Structures are given as structure tokens and as C-alpha cells.
Amino acid sequence: MGGREATEALAEAVREAAARREPLALRGAGTRLAGLPPGPRRLLEVTALRGVEDHDPRELVATVRAGTPLEALEAALAREGQGLPSEPARPGPGATLGGALAAADDGPARPWRGSLQDAVLGVELVDGHGERLAFGGRVLKNVAGYDLSRLMAGAYGTLGVVTRVHLRLLPRPEADRTRVLELPLEEALARMRRWQGRPLPLAGLAWAEGRLWVRLQGLEAGVTAASAELGGEDPGEAEATAFWTGLRDRRLPFFRERAGGR
């Protein structure tokens, strides 16, 4: 089923549910259903809405269907040396772009690169009456008044079923390194505050179990200089990847122990 046909089928399902006053819950990969309001509701599958419809590497923009798995999206963008400014969390296999936007769930680079909400140039959606609407577009300067597409971030689909997202992209960093320093919490916090006020190529800061993790991304020369200045040890690519991925997806042991398994 093509994108237009899948969208119309979804709109028809919403219209039927509205006529019966039947609550719906949107399901892509099902990785974020825990965030839905309590109460019985019928699942509305949106997995047919997947695929990168348009990607213009020169303009750093892309139009993507909301049911596209994040892993597939990031792989497609990486072939052109680009990626999302934020690092949307993947709480489970197949986690989708629409789910990440609905949950406003970003990773450790958010303070420096912005959120997924910041990367949204526009959305197309089906509202609660089954009407198809569009807000924003695929260019950087097209907002007149309040940007309604931003309301979709964190709404868990309660304002409509997002079908298509227009995104702003960033070039992938030339260098990516992690440094680890053995520090008590107070000293780690002091250093984090000091570093955030300086022009360092930071892409992640986290303290866990007596260790301060620092991720640096950017041009090779800048990352090399910052690594030498900040000190610490190189944990190795495998351990660094496991840590930042686990932090992004809330899978590290201290999340399970202190947040009741979230």
C-alpha cells in the first residue's frame, strides 16, 4: 500500500472510530505504549506509513513517513553523511520516528544539538475527525504565527495521527571520542558546569557510579585538542558505544535500579 492509500485508510479508520466515539491508541512498533492514558482503547496500526519520501542532501532536509523505524532512517541518512540533530531514544526494536516525536524522547546530545521537536519543519496528520491537515513544510523559513507542528512533540498522538514529518538534518561529525574520568559527584558536577560554558565540542555528559563520561564530536582537530585538555581515559569504542546507547535508550543498570525498570 502506497503512502497516499495508507494515509487515507488510516483517516477512514479514525472517522469510523469518531462516529462510534471509540477511543484509539496509535501503534507503530509498540515501544512507547506505556505512556498512553489509562483506559480501554482500540489499537490503530500505523506501520504501513514508513519510508523516506524525499531527502535533499544539499539542503539538509528530508520528508519521512511517521512509521519509519529510526534505525532505517538513520542508516539512510548516514549514506549521505547526515543524521538527525537529536538522538531519539529507541526503547525497543523497531522504534519509529512517529513514536519518538509523540513521546518527545531525546538522547544525551540534546543540550548541544537540540531536540527532535527542534528539527521538525512541518508535519502532516489526521485529526480526531479523520480530516487530513498540514502544518509547516520542508523549508527553514515558512512559519507565520505559532508553529503548530511543534505541539505534536510529547502529545502521544492525542492531537492527531502524524503521518509525515519534514525534518532538518545535520552533517555527521568527523570525529567521535569518549573520555572517562574517575571523580566524585561534586567534582564531576563542577567540571560539567565549567565545561558547558566553554566552546568545547561536547555531545554528551553523564556521571554514573563514580565515573564522569564525556563525549566529544565534531571536526578532528577540535575533538583531538579537547580530548587532550579534558584528560581522562579512553574506554574503547565498544564500551563507549554501549554506554551512550544504553543511556539514550534507558537500558543501563542504574536506570533499572533507580527508576523501577523504565
Side-chain angles (χ1 to χ4, degrees), residues 14 29 48 98-99 118 137 163 166 188 200 205 208 217 221 229 239 246 253 257 261:
V14 173
D118 297 328
T163 58
H166 305 288
L200 295 169
L205 287 172
Q217 292 181 340
E229 178 183 347
E239 187 176 355
E257 293 167 5

Side-chain angles (χ1 to χ4, degrees), residues 5-6 22 43 53 75 78 100 104 110 133 158 162 164 172 175 220 225 230 232 242 250 253 258:
E5 293 82 1
E22 179 182 28
L43 288 179
E53 291 191 350
R110 175 173 179 165
L133 306 175
T158 57
V162 175
R164 184 178 285 108
R172 292 176 67 85
E220 180 68 43
L230 300 184
R250 284 61 163 172
R258 300 173 191 175

Side-chain angles (χ1 to χ4, degrees), residues 63-89:
T63 298
V64 186
R65 295 175 188 163
T68 304
L70 287 167
E71 185 173 1
L73 171 58
E74 290 171 350
L77 299 177
R79 288 194 286 270
E80 297 291 344
Q82 297 176 357
L84 295 173
S86 66
E87 297 176 289

Side-chain angles (χ1 to χ4, degrees), residues 157-197:
T158 57
L159 301 179
V161 187
V162 175
T163 58
R164 184 178 285 108
V165 186
H166 305 288
L167 294 165
R168 173 178 57 85
L169 310 174
L170 283 180
R172 292 176 67 85
E174 182 179 298
D176 184 338
R177 300 206 188 119
T178 294
R179 309 299 296 175
V180 177
L181 297 84
E182 301 281 346
L183 291 171
L185 177 58
E186 293 75 12
E187 176 62 19
L189 289 173
R191 293 201 189 193
M192 285 191 278
R193 286 192 292 266
R194 186 164 64 248
W195 291 341
Q196 289 188 77

Side-chain angles (χ1 to χ4, degrees), residues 53-64 119-124 135-142 164-169:
E53 291 191 350
D54 182 55
H55 178 201
D56 188 341
R58 294 171 302 175
E59 297 295 330
L60 290 166
V61 294
T63 298
V64 186
V120 173
L121 299 173
V123 298
E124 296 177 33
F135 302 103
R138 62 182 300 277
V139 296
L140 295 178
K141 296 181 180 179
N142 76 2
R164 184 178 285 108
V165 186
H166 305 288
L167 294 165
R168 173 178 57 85
L169 310 174

